[in-house]
Amino acid sequence: MPNTRKGSKIDLYNSHFAATLRELMDSKGVTQKELAAAVGVRPQTLSLYCTGETQPNVDKLLKIAEYFNVTTDFLITGTILEDIPVREMLGFSERTVENLKLVKNGYFEDSPYMLPLLDCLLGDKDFYTAIERAGYWQQNGAQEDIDRREYSTWKATQALETFLLDFLSRDLQAMYNELTTRNDEKGGD
């Protein structure tokens, strides 16, 4: 049984969870009876969720989130993960975020393949392994004599070059197909 919450009726009614739940139900045209059946609670219990007088346990909260295809964080706080600045969320520098925005907004208009290429590259786990391998060689060579340093730099370069050549040969067609699909969708609107 849900726990009864304390506070003024207005504060409970306007709580993040209750307000977000009502908004989702209104926007999707879902009745309390429909949602109650999907979540596995009585309609009266769902009514108490909507007024903020009670809140669901974790299992019921997950079912509500799945039903509306949202996160539990969104249900509880009303905040969408995308609202958190990318820079903070991923630890990117402001310069990196600005450059990615330029790519997204078509700054490189003669290179429409750049965004799909970056997407494929950053989505490939082998990319991070190649960077790690290159960093290993570069770091180990920094402490050595000049000949060893040059060898380590060459090994670091080889690690990245090998990955990029393999990546481009493997994923170039997939990237081209994605770009073609995006262009077809834009033209079809």
Side-chain angles (χ1 to χ4, degrees):
M1 175 170 211
N3 295 331
T4 302
R5 298 179 67 218
K6 297 191 187 291
S8 75
K9 294 258 186 204
I10 292 174
D11 288 342
L12 294 174
Y13 185 81
N14 291 324
S15 68
H16 285 295
F17 175 75
T20 302
L21 181 60
R22 290 191 310 272
E23 185 179 315
L24 285 169
M25 291 174 65
D26 287 344
S27 69
K28 305 288 184 191
V30 176
T31 66
Q32 288 182 3
K33 186 175 181 179
E34 291 169 335
L35 184 56
V39 173
V41 296
R42 297 182 354 235
Q44 295 86 342
T45 302
L46 195 74
S47 175
L48 294 172
Y49 294 167
C50 290
T51 61
E53 294 176 56
T54 62
Q55 288 189 337
N57 64 28
V58 174
D59 293 336
K60 302 303 181 194
L61 184 68
L62 285 170
K63 286 183 180 181
I64 294 169
E66 288 173 1
Y67 185 87
F68 288 112
N69 197 27
V70 296
T71 65
T72 55
D73 286 351
F74 177 72
L75 285 174
I76 295 168
T77 66
T79 302
I80 299 173
L81 186 59
E82 288 86 28
D83 290 345
I84 299 170
V86 172
R87 194 172 68 71
E88 288 177 28
M89 187 171 66
L90 299 176
F92 283 155
S93 69
E94 191 62 38
R95 184 185 68 180
T96 299
V97 171
E98 290 305 313
N99 285 335
L100 287 171
K101 285 179 184 176
L102 287 174
V103 171
K104 170 88 170 83
N105 293 332
Y107 179 79
F108 302 97
E109 61 189 41
D110 293 337
S111 303
Y113 55 83
M114 193 172 296
L115 191 59
L117 177 64
L118 284 172
D119 187 39
C120 286
L121 185 66
L122 294 174
D124 190 331
K125 289 182 183 176
D126 292 337
F127 172 65
Y128 303 99
T129 304
I131 289 176
E132 183 180 38
R133 193 173 298 125
Y136 166 81
W137 282 107
Q138 197 65 35
Q139 183 179 12
N140 284 344
Q143 310 301 333
E144 303 292 332
D145 59 59
I146 190 79
D147 290 336
R148 189 81 172 134
R149 221 174 312 159
E150 287 177 8
Y151 174 75
S152 293
T153 300
W154 177 79
K155 286 294 282 183
T157 304
Q158 286 299 111
L160 291 174
E161 183 179 288
T162 300
F163 166 77
L164 287 172
L165 289 173
D166 180 53
F167 169 79
L168 289 173
S169 67
R170 183 184 67 230
D171 292 327
L172 200 55
Q173 187 61 45
M175 183 190 68
Y176 175 76
N177 291 343
E178 182 178 334
L179 182 61
T180 303
T181 301
R182 286 183 187 180
N183 288 339
D184 289 348
E185 289 172 357
K186 283 183 184 176
D189 289 342

